[in-house]
Amino acid sequence: METDNLSDLTAACIRCGFCLEACPTFQITGEETESPRGRIYLIRSAETNKLGWAEIAPHVDRCLGCRACETACPSGVHYGQIFELAKAKMPSKRWRSSLLRQLTDVKRARRQFQLAALLPGRKLPSFISRLLTKQPTSTRIPRPQELRNYPPLEGLPPIKGQVALLRGCVMDALFPNVHEATIRLLRRLGFEVIEIRNQCCGALHAHSGDLQEARTKFNQLVTSLPRDIVLLTNSAGCGSHLKEYGATAQDVSEFLYENGLVDALKMSDGLACRVGYHDACHLAHGQGVRRQPRELIRSVPGTELVEIPDSDRCCGSAGIYNVQQPILAKHLLDQKWGSIEFAKPDIVVSGNPGCHAWIEQARAERSSSIQVLHTMEFLEASFSGLFD
Amino acid sequence: MFGSAELSALHAIVGADGVLCGASVERAYDCDAYTVDRSKPTAVALPKTTGEVARLVRWCNEVEMPFTARGAGTGLSGGAMPALGGLIISTKRLNRILQCDIPNRKLLAQAGVVNSHVSKVVADAGLHFAPDPSSQTVSTIGGNIAENSGGPHTLKYGVTSPHVLGLTLVCPDGEILTLNRREQTPDLVSLIVGAEGLLGIVTEAWLKLTPLPERTETALIAFSTVRAATQVVSAIIREGIVPAALELMDRRILEAVRMAFGLEFHPDTEAMLLVECDGAPASCRAEIERVGELSSGALDFRLAKNEDERSRFWLARKKGIGAMGRLAPTIVTHDGVIPPSRLPEMLEFVYAIADEHQVGVANIFHAGDGNLHPCFYFDDRIPGTVERVVAAGEAIMRRCVELGGSLTGEHGIGIEKIDMMPLMFTEADLIMQSWVRRAFSPGNLCNPCKVIPNQKGCIEHRRRWRGAAT
Ligand SMILES: Cc1cc2nc3c(=O)[nH]c(=O)nc-3n(C[C@H](O)[C@H](O)[C@H](O)COP(=O)(O)OP(=O)(O)OC[C@H]3O[C@@H](n4cnc5c(N)ncnc54)[C@H](O)[C@@H]3O)c2cc1C
Ligand code: SF4
Ligand code: SF4
């Protein structure tokens, strides 16, 4: 971090507008106030007391935090940082922090997701969602995965090192199979996995402007780690946040790519299918990881990687955005599903639990036969054949 | 005056979600990419059809509210700034391609369609829309038409004007006109293209599509002095070679580009030429080889080996101005034209003026046609800086005219250069121009206070615009 001063950070924007068409909310609305350039200008104006923070809040709230604008910006504006600092200045919304508490506490989250089965259509009752956002919801509460019965691992290489895997909050509650698949893949390459349980990296908090809580969570996590160990995560949002805060962290796809999974995959049984890869924002824009997951997928015997148009455009999940801004989020999801169908894949994969759950909702609504998986589940299936 | 009656009148035209107002909106729309002057709109409307634009304009006439068209707001001369407040008519929802006639190589687009989107849509048919301002990934067809935008490939393919076959215009009084190059004399299309939004709002345009070249060769050539680079430019032109693009970047631009995109260059480089030739494979190859021979005195001659490398060369050029943000918080990009032979002395003058006024300057220009873009970088939060930048810019423009050039190549006059118009035009010229304007816009509500100096009711506002620039 070079500076955490909002005035300097926003001054880096020269208003060239090159980010405009990269921004999903500007694309949909055409409104300058819903564009990166507009938001930066408004934040700069609030910082210099030309506007009130409450006044600009709706526009900052509508930002997905997807950071596509950073990829597009030639001037090197650190939008992600501007966004988090600005959120921290917003008049707080109590329900948001309580929702966050529910989500980031693993045991609580699992119970909440299970209870949701009792709600009609698994949707938030509309009177509650209206209370939260004044908009009717269409966001369903995702159902936790059933545990897959993976066969025991055989013919493994000797252990050559240890890595830590952050089980995290949302991923752990909703997608236990993803962790299982990740651990199996790492073990296939000779890595023993230390699982970090019941710890949260603080990404969702930082994203919603609770910087103090984010810092506390991050410090707790880092101090609990064994020394000199690489912290791996299979959740793009966590990875991008951990790197930003200075942890020695990697996305599993990076680590596996660098440590020989490509060769191992080429020796595996493989899967005959067409696979589309959706770039999670916090992998593509947040960490610049685009190539590694694609190379891994390409190495699966029999698999054809098909490109989804605008694969790095946000699906609308964006942390808890789909609960806060249901209308825009739904619009983005429908767009995303349209692009996916255009590419005609059998399976669509991504590297983030939020995208996974959200895109799965689109699939379920249409009863489509396209399957939605995490990259790790798909890669592991190349060895064990399992992904249902 | 803007109250609930006005609001509901606008709602009736464009629907409730088509009108924006309030403090944040007034701020966000108070300038374009030229940030020295700013002025708030009263409200913003986002129409979706020509009919809606016409009704908005008629309503503005009824209530005597000024109105200003705005595309992507990437203009560099303040054209989209609502000088007297009033309504901003944004074309961002006029974003559909209405007809695509591949056999006849033309396409009908609404004014808010993004330039590069047009090329994307017809790429499979081997066609493209040739005007390529560096802002093409975001700027709109309407903005390109209003500014008669050019780009690196203007040298061979021309500016926007020859690529517009016809257009639909909502006149300043709300009347809808359909103009077609072939059918009307005088050629009103040529009058509207480049009119900077003063003569009405363009809502649709028939665009000419150009076949993609069979082959393209791109070279990046490094020189140890600017003079050496400009001599090669003259030599290329003297030989009768018409490259598709012939661009010059000075050392400071290259440094910004290195910071932004990691583009490496020879350590002694003071100027870099980007030369692109296109056409039939054999002639294209021969041309670029000849360029290579002419550049024998260069430090380094790199030919793009593949499409990837070619786009990397271009990235440096197209995002060079944007990358300037790495050097300082604010930039102002100037735009002037001089005879290409005067480039070396002009450049020395630019550096001297910047030093004198204590602002940083970097240069990128379309060397082939003498269109230079000195780009000042500074921190506008430091009091007094903006004034120095304005003074330095004026000195440069004066020099362009003295050298037999012009005030603008492609960014327009807008608000930025309005006071400099008399440098280039006589009083009679200016009177003529305001007559044309009045013929279209008797009420003076359509994009007021732009281009034509000394308009009634504008002068007293100047101080206020500039005071808003923090
Ligand atoms: C980094 C950068 C690089 C640039 N590079 C170039 C370049 O290489 N070449 C070049 O020529 N320009 C360049 N520009 C300037 C600018 O991008 C062009 O002038 C562009 O055509 C403006 O388009 P816009 O949609 O942003 O228009 P805006 O900025 O929104 O508007 C520009 C003017 O056009 C008027 N206008 C907009 N739409 C309409 C309409 N539908 N009908 C009537 N009037 C309308 C507005 O009132 C205003 O006066 C650059 C700008 C930036 C920031
Ligand atoms: S691209 Fe970067 S510098 Fe340009 S307007 Fe967007 S954020 Fe600002
Ligand atoms: S983070 Fe995404 S939604 Fe927010 S301004 Fe940037 S591009 Fe737009």
Side-chain angles (χ1 to χ4, degrees):
Chain A
M1 255 182 258
E2 289 154 15
T3 169
D4 57 0
N5 173 318
L6 257 184
S7 169
D8 288 343
L9 283 166
T10 51
C13 170
I14 52 164
R15 289 189 57 82
C16 67
F18 279 11
C19 52
L20 294 174
E21 291 299 317
C23 174
T25 57
F26 180 74
Q27 270 247 328
I28 295 174
T29 63
E31 297 169 21
E32 181 75 20
T33 42
E34 310 306 333
S35 77
R37 178 176 68 179
R39 289 184 176 120
I40 293 168
Y41 190 25
L42 294 180
I43 291 168
R44 180 176 176 173
S45 305
E47 182 67 12
T48 51
N49 298 319
K50 291 214 158 56
L51 290 171
W53 288 105
E55 228 150 25
I56 72 163
H59 309 295
V60 179
D61 280 345
R62 254 169 249 147
C63 169
L64 296 149
C66 70
R67 295 169 64 181
C69 47
E70 274 188 43
T71 302
C73 174
S75 178
V77 172
H78 296 288
Y79 182 81
Q81 228 179 321
I82 295 175
F83 176 64
E84 288 182 359
L85 290 168
K87 278 272 191 179
K89 308 239 178 183
M90 296 295 162
S92 76
K93 290 214 175 77
R94 232 180 318 139
W95 66 267
R96 194 185 292 156
S97 33
S98 107
L99 178 63
L100 272 181
R101 223 173 307 120
Q102 304 285 350
L103 275 173
T104 55
D105 176 321
V106 180
K107 287 198 211 97
R108 257 213 191 117
R110 196 170 293 148
R111 202 168 55 235
Q112 294 289 330
F113 287 131
Q114 274 155 359
L115 280 176
L118 303 175
L119 300 172
R122 299 186 64 83
K123 288 183 185 174
L124 288 175
S126 65
F127 71 92
I128 295 182
S129 77
R130 270 180 206 280
L131 214 78
L132 298 181
T133 66
K134 302 198 188 74
Q135 298 175 6
T137 187
S138 54
T139 306
R140 293 182 193 207
I141 297 171
R143 190 192 305 269
Q145 273 182 332
E146 309 258 330
L147 274 179
R148 218 170 264 149
N149 257 329
Y150 281 115
L153 290 167
E154 281 164 17
L156 294 175
I159 302 282
K160 61 177 177 196
Q162 275 191 335
V163 289
L165 176 69
L166 179 67
R167 289 194 68 104
C169 41
V170 177
M171 184 68 92
D172 211 18
L174 281 182
F175 300 110
N177 291 325
V178 174
H179 285 320
E180 194 57 32
T182 307
I183 294 168
R184 290 171 67 92
L185 287 168
L186 285 162
R187 184 60 194 86
R188 286 180 194 281
L189 298 181
F191 291 96
E192 188 179 48
V193 178
I194 301 176
E195 296 176 54
I196 312 293
R197 287 175 189 273
N198 299 325
Q199 290 261 27
C200 166
C201 65
L204 283 175
H205 301 84
H207 219 68
S208 337
D210 191 348
L211 297 184
Q212 207 178 346
E213 188 61 20
R215 185 50 76 179
T216 315
K217 290 242 183 309
F218 176 80
N219 289 343
Q220 274 171 4
L221 169 63
V222 179
T223 45
S224 76
L225 288 178
R227 280 171 68 86
D228 298 328
I229 200 161
V230 188
L231 178 59
L232 298 182
T233 161
N234 45 27
S235 157
C238 305
S240 141
H241 177 74
L242 288 167
K243 286 179 180 174
E244 206 119 303
Y245 271 46
T248 329
Q250 270 197 313
D251 186 76
V252 276
S253 65
E254 289 177 274
F255 184 85
L256 291 168
Y257 176 77
E258 288 163 16
N259 286 279
L261 188 61
V262 167
D263 292 335
L265 280 167
K266 286 185 178 155
M267 308 294 293
S268 67
D269 294 346
L271 292 162
C273 57
R274 287 164 64 86
V275 174
Y277 178 74
H278 158 70
D279 283 282
C281 297
H282 285 90
L283 267 179
H285 304 301
Q287 304 179 58
V289 174
R290 299 163 184 265
R291 191 173 53 87
Q292 300 89 327
R294 287 187 166 80
E295 289 300 321
L296 290 171
I297 294 166
R298 257 194 219 108
S299 311
V300 173
T303 290
E304 185 191 350
L305 177 68
V306 292
E307 279 299 327
I308 299 172
D310 296 320
S311 63
D312 64 352
R313 165 141 304 167
C314 185
C315 65
S317 151
I320 51 175
Y321 189 89
N322 49 5
V323 184
Q324 295 173 342
Q325 300 287 343
I327 295 175
L328 276 173
K330 191 68 181 28
H331 189 109
L332 286 166
L333 180 61
D334 291 342
Q335 242 179 22
K336 178 57 72 181
W337 190 260
S339 314
I340 291 174
E341 282 191 326
F342 180 85
K344 299 199 180 63
D346 302 312
I347 301 175
V348 54
V349 305
S350 74
N352 193 51
C355 310
H356 190 160
W358 192 225
I359 295 174
E360 168 59 28
Q361 172 173 331
R363 187 210 60 77
E365 279 169 6
R366 294 162 176 82
S367 311
S368 162
S369 62
I370 300 174
Q371 229 182 330
V372 185
L373 292 175
H374 188 282
T375 316
M376 294 304 127
E377 292 175 280
F378 172 71
L379 297 176
E380 169 56 25
S382 177
F383 295 96
S384 53
L386 270 182
F387 52 71
D388 282 327
Chain B
M1 226 332 269
F2 196 78
S4 59
E6 284 75 17
L7 193 61
S8 33
L10 289 178
H11 282 178
I13 301 174
V14 287
D17 76 339
V19 188
L20 314 174
C21 50
S24 295
V25 170
E26 289 166 15
R27 183 69 171 165
Y29 284 89
D30 72 3
C31 63
D32 49 23
Y34 172 74
T35 58
V36 171
D37 295 308
R38 304 182 203 199
S39 170
K40 292 177 193 173
T42 311
V44 177
L46 294 131
K48 294 195 180 75
T49 61
T50 301
E52 287 179 3
V53 174
R55 286 170 66 197
L56 287 169
V57 169
R58 266 180 262 136
W59 178 81
C60 285
N61 277 282
E62 271 164 39
V63 300
E64 293 187 18
M65 182 181 281
F67 56 93
T68 302
R70 178 179 168 112
T74 66
L76 289 168
S77 54
M81 178 187 92
L84 298 181
L87 190 66
I88 283 195
I89 300 183
S90 163
T91 60
K92 281 309 303 178
R93 292 187 193 163
L94 285 160
N95 58 2
R96 281 173 304 136
I97 287 181
L98 301 173
Q99 281 183 57
C100 194
D101 181 353
I102 297 289
N104 292 305
R105 293 186 183 161
K106 58 182 192 168
L107 170 154
L108 179 64
Q110 283 187 309
V113 169
V114 169
N115 172 311
S116 62
H117 186 64
V118 174
S119 293
K120 210 156 133 192
V121 168
V122 297
D124 283 347
L127 299 171
H128 75 304
F129 180 55
D132 63 338
S134 303
S135 58
Q136 73 187 131
T137 53
V138 289
S139 63
T140 63
I141 294 298
N144 295 167
I145 290 176
E147 301 291 353
N148 195 12
S149 294
H153 290 89
T154 292
L155 187 58
K156 182 163 181 175
Y157 295 96
V159 286
T160 300
S161 187
H163 301 275
V164 178
L165 303 171
L167 43 82
T168 305
L169 179 78
V170 172
C171 296
D173 61 1
E175 190 194 339
I176 300 172
L177 276 186
T178 311
L179 305 176
N180 193 315
R181 261 199 209 281
R182 275 190 221 122
E183 286 161 15
Q184 279 126 352
T185 41
D187 178 6
L188 288 177
V189 173
S190 290
L191 181 66
I192 301 303
V193 180
E196 300 195 21
L198 265 57
L199 306 183
I201 299 182
V202 175
T203 56
E204 294 170 14
W206 276 105
L207 305 177
K208 185 167 104 186
L209 303 172
T210 308
L212 286 162
E214 253 183 278
R215 171 124 186 189
T216 310
E217 297 283 357
T218 311
L220 211 47
I221 318 167
F223 296 89
S224 57
T225 62
V226 173
R227 205 169 275 271
T230 51
Q231 277 161 356
V232 169
V233 171
S234 312
I236 292 173
I237 294 171
R238 221 176 16 244
E239 291 253 329
I241 300 176
V242 185
L246 185 47
E247 301 284 307
L248 205 158
M249 293 165 269
D250 77 355
R251 182 172 184 97
R252 290 185 217 173
I253 287 277
L254 293 173
E255 267 157 17
V257 169
R258 171 160 60 193
M259 276 192 251
F261 310 112
L263 185 89
E264 287 306 326
F265 50 90
H266 191 287
D268 300 333
T269 309
E270 283 301 318
M272 185 83 89
L273 273 187
L274 188 157
V275 186
E276 185 162 285
C277 297
D278 68 10
S283 66
C284 169
R285 190 79 215 173
E287 275 184 7
I288 202 80
E289 274 165 12
R290 185 71 192 125
V291 170
E293 287 161 22
L294 293 172
S295 328
S296 55
L299 293 170
D300 183 26
F301 181 94
R302 268 191 277 168
L303 201 59
K305 286 189 283 296
N306 48 37
E307 194 51 36
D308 263 7
E309 199 168 15
R310 178 173 171 258
S311 26
R312 252 183 94 66
F313 287 5
W314 272 110
L315 184 73
R317 168 60 188 89
K318 294 234 161 171
K319 300 218 163 157
I321 299 278
M324 294 298 299
R326 312 234 170 196
L327 301 183
T330 313
I331 63 166
V332 166
T333 309
H334 271 282
D335 165 45
V337 183
I338 50 161
S341 60
R342 311 300 288 267
L343 275 175
E345 62 181 291
M346 184 64 203
L347 210 60
E348 276 152 30
F349 179 81
V350 168
Y351 290 134
I353 284 289
D355 280 350
E356 188 183 315
H357 291 83
Q358 299 157 35
V359 289
V361 73
N363 288 277
I364 217 167
F365 41 84
H366 310 308
D369 35 25
N371 185 189
L372 65 152
H373 294 312
C375 174
F376 293 119
Y377 52 96
F378 53 97
D379 189 340
D380 66 353
R381 294 169 297 177
I382 300 168
T385 314
V386 171
E387 289 73 7
R388 291 205 306 274
V389 170
V390 171
E394 284 180 5
I396 287 173
M397 286 307 123
R398 207 165 296 237
R399 187 82 187 148
C400 284
V401 177
E402 281 166 17
L403 291 176
S406 121
L407 284 177
T408 172
E410 51 188 28
H411 296 171
I413 299 294
I415 205 74
E416 182 199 17
K417 294 182 181 164
I418 194 165
D419 291 340
M420 294 179 228
M421 286 289 275
L423 289 178
M424 208 171 136
F425 297 102
T426 63
E427 192 147 349
D429 292 337
L430 291 173
I431 288 172
M432 179 72 187
Q433 291 181 6
S434 51
W435 279 351
V436 173
R437 175 183 186 160
R438 218 163 314 143
F440 274 80
S441 181
N444 215 11
L445 294 171
C446 183
N447 205 3
C449 306
K450 308 283 169 65
V451 186
I452 297 164
N454 301 320
Q455 293 178 45
K456 232 181 8 193
C458 293
I459 296 146
E460 60 270 31
H461 289 280
R462 291 295 309 245
R463 193 184 294 276
R464 184 173 57 78
W465 300 331
R466 206 142 286 185
T470 44

